[in-house]
Amino acid sequence: MKKIILLILLSCFSMYAKTASDSINVKLNSLNSEQKNVLYELAVLKKNGFETEQFWTKHKSQFPKFDDEVRDQLASEVLANSQIVYTLPKDSAIQFWIQAQSLANWMFYLSAFIAICAIIALFKRYWNLLIDLVIRHLAPLFRFLFSPVLLTYELLIAGAFCVYYGVSIEEFVLRTVVIHVGLCLLWSQTTAIFTKEYFIKKYIFKVENNFWAESPWEAVKTISLPGLFLTLALVYVLCKVPQDVFYNYEIVLSGIATIYALPFWRTLEKYLYPILFPFKNDKRDREINSLGGCTVIALTAVVVLILQENSLFYNVISALISLLAISFLILSLKMNYRYEFRNYYYLQFVTVLFLGLTFLYGFSYHLNEIVWFSLIGTSVYVVIKYFEIFSFFSDWKRSKAWAWKLLGAAALLWLLAKGILYVSKILYGV
């Protein structure tokens, strides 16, 4: 008897649930697109903890009369199951919320960057003072613990700790600061260990000299191996916090430094940089030749990754393109070609071609970061060439017409900004 009653109750409940569900679907199907958009916006606001009473009062007249429970059910159905093309209405609450989120994210990035710079500056300013204080006042206890060699290993462990546990910090600014402090310690202390110089001024000097040293294995010890440790740490960070996309740029930079300091590139370099400097000139600086060789390697890597047509590589491609844009801007400077200008004219053609192709690639694949890199790079390139034109005839800083030239630069920037707006309106229809 109890089983029969239970079955009857379950049957009634299922019939009621089905009737209620059918009633919601009927009401949902009777709504037009504009009403569904309002319910979608209401559900999003409610989900994110915003007060919705004023919003509903504003749009209530667009709907037939039903209670708040039915309204919330309809809004949930629209949010969960409807596939709609949603265009943000002008001055809507959703639009304001998204803009506020975007502004807050940029402020977080800026605050993290400022904090990193400040901490590094404080380290540089007070490090010697702190060490001196410890040695003078706590020498009996800390002479062994804080000897240069042991302190280097202690800081290395501290850096590894910062990276390992920093990725678990929820707050973005604090997480970014802690991870970058750890990365800085990992690179500096591994460099100190491999160079066997335990003070920053000494091992930085050694790194600068070893890159051009006669023994290529010195560059491996002082540049490649610390760069490899840093790259592995960045791989770990990217796996743990993939939403922090700026680590893609840092890992590309450390990876290039790791690879390009290997001995065989010193041998191949003389075959690489002539691709960008086809006209022979022995008076060009060695650093420019190396930058040219490194640029050819990075270009090859970009082409290979683009041909993969895999979205997993888009962030790495974007990072490589940003570095290549900077490299081409440096290589295209007139000051690098004081005695022979054929390579200078050739680099202008290559730079313009690179910026144009990256813009077309970014636009074709809807990669906004690459589009912006190409636009910014083009703008910087045009301004540099504007001042270089005058340098062929006179020193613009000493010339009496320097104020007119600056005014021309201001007008050029204005025209560039207008051009960017015009192009974006044509391409994106905004």
Side-chain angles (χ1 to χ4, degrees):
M1 188 65 180
K2 289 182 180 178
K3 290 183 179 179
I4 295 173
I5 293 173
L6 184 59
L7 288 171
I8 293 171
L9 288 173
L10 288 172
S11 176
C12 291
F13 178 79
S14 63
M15 290 176 63
Y16 172 75
K18 187 176 185 305
T19 303
S21 177
D22 290 341
S23 175
I24 291 297
N25 288 332
V26 169
K27 287 185 172 65
L28 190 61
N29 291 331
S30 68
L31 299 177
N32 57 38
S33 296
E34 187 176 350
Q35 290 171 325
K36 289 180 179 179
N37 285 343
V38 172
L39 288 172
Y40 182 86
E41 195 167 347
L42 177 73
V44 172
L45 289 171
K46 203 173 187 70
K47 185 178 180 180
N48 287 278
F50 283 85
E51 181 59 46
T52 59
E53 197 59 39
Q54 187 176 357
F55 174 84
W56 179 246
T57 303
K58 181 180 177 181
H59 297 281
K60 189 175 182 180
S61 58
Q62 301 177 24
F63 294 83
K65 290 184 179 180
F66 47 67
D67 58 31
D68 292 347
E69 184 179 354
V70 174
R71 175 202 68 190
D72 293 340
Q73 289 178 339
L74 288 171
S76 298
E77 286 293 319
V78 169
L79 181 64
N81 301 314
S82 298
Q83 294 183 352
I84 62 173
V85 178
Y86 183 69
T87 303
L88 292 176
K90 187 179 180 181
D91 299 327
S92 69
I94 286 290
Q95 188 181 49
F96 176 78
W97 177 74
I98 291 175
Q99 290 172 347
Q101 287 287 328
S102 178
L103 177 61
N105 286 338
W106 277 107
M107 291 178 72
F108 285 145
Y109 287 132
L110 182 60
S111 64
F113 177 76
I114 292 172
I116 292 165
C117 292
I119 288 175
I120 292 173
L122 288 172
F123 264 108
K124 183 179 178 182
R125 184 172 182 180
Y126 295 110
W127 184 251
N128 290 336
L129 181 64
L130 179 62
I131 293 296
D132 183 63
L133 183 69
V134 169
I135 290 174
R136 281 192 293 109
H137 296 284
L138 301 173
L141 179 63
F142 295 108
R143 182 171 287 133
F144 173 73
L145 290 177
F146 290 98
S147 65
V149 177
L150 196 58
L151 181 59
T152 297
Y153 285 95
E154 290 166 354
L155 289 175
L156 181 63
I157 294 170
F161 181 86
C162 287
V163 172
Y164 184 78
Y165 290 101
V167 295
S168 61
I169 299 174
E170 294 293 332
E171 211 282 317
F172 170 77
V173 175
L174 183 59
R175 179 174 72 240
T176 304
V177 171
V178 171
I179 290 174
H180 278 84
V181 168
L183 293 173
C184 184
L185 288 173
L186 280 176
W187 174 81
S188 60
Q189 303 315 303
T190 51
T191 303
I193 290 168
F194 289 121
T195 58
K196 297 182 179 179
E197 295 287 352
Y198 302 103
F199 295 97
I200 187 166
K201 288 184 179 179
K202 290 185 178 181
Y203 63 71
I204 289 294
F205 177 77
K206 204 161 185 178
V207 166
E208 291 174 351
N209 286 338
N210 284 345
F211 193 77
W212 310 113
E214 293 182 2
S215 172
W217 291 107
E218 286 297 317
V220 173
K221 287 196 303 181
T222 57
I223 299 173
S224 282
L225 289 178
L228 178 62
F229 277 97
L230 185 62
T231 304
L232 292 174
L234 284 165
V235 169
Y236 170 76
V237 172
L238 272 174
C239 292
K240 293 295 183 179
V241 282
Q243 67 272 21
D244 294 350
V245 294
F246 51 85
Y247 290 112
N248 289 283
Y249 297 84
E250 297 177 17
I251 197 172
V252 165
L253 195 60
S254 67
I256 287 176
T258 301
I259 295 170
Y260 197 63
L262 295 174
F264 63 89
W265 292 117
R266 301 273 74 79
T267 306
L268 291 177
E269 187 181 89
K270 60 184 178 182
Y271 302 107
L272 293 173
Y273 69 76
I275 296 173
L276 295 179
F277 307 116
F279 304 103
K280 190 174 181 180
N281 181 6
D282 296 330
K283 296 181 179 180
R284 191 171 48 248
D285 291 340
R286 173 68 186 271
E287 291 85 349
I288 296 301
N289 289 341
S290 278
L291 180 59
C294 187
T295 301
V296 171
I297 296 169
L299 270 174
T300 306
V302 165
V303 172
V304 170
L305 291 175
I306 288 175
L307 292 177
Q308 303 304 310
E309 296 185 350
N310 192 328
S311 60
L312 290 174
F313 299 129
Y314 284 161
N315 285 329
V316 177
I317 292 171
S318 178
L320 279 169
I321 285 176
S322 68
L323 293 174
L324 281 169
I326 296 171
S327 297
F328 276 115
L329 288 175
I330 294 172
L331 292 172
S332 67
L333 291 175
K334 175 177 169 285
M335 61 184 292
N336 299 323
Y337 313 91
R338 300 182 185 90
Y339 308 103
E340 213 282 333
F341 286 100
R342 287 181 297 174
N343 284 319
Y344 172 74
Y345 299 132
Y346 176 73
L347 255 297
Q348 309 316 305
F349 167 74
V350 174
T351 303
V352 171
L353 180 65
F354 169 78
L355 293 171
L357 290 176
T358 52
F359 177 82
L360 291 175
Y361 170 71
F363 177 74
S364 300
Y365 287 85
H366 307 290
L367 303 174
N368 291 333
E369 285 183 350
I370 294 178
V371 171
W372 277 110
F373 288 146
S374 64
L375 290 175
I376 292 170
T378 302
S379 301
V380 174
Y381 176 79
V382 170
V383 172
I384 291 173
K385 296 306 121 180
Y386 169 81
F387 285 111
E388 283 189 350
I389 288 172
F390 293 113
S391 71
F392 278 98
F393 307 103
S394 64
D395 188 340
W396 75 274
K397 290 182 286 185
R398 295 180 182 177
S399 172
K400 293 180 180 180
W402 65 269
W404 287 103
K405 294 170 186 175
L406 284 179
L407 184 60
L412 181 62
L413 286 170
W414 183 84
L415 287 173
L416 286 170
K418 283 288 185 182
I420 289 172
L421 290 175
Y422 180 72
V423 170
S424 64
K425 185 176 181 180
I426 292 175
L427 295 178
Y428 297 102
V430 294

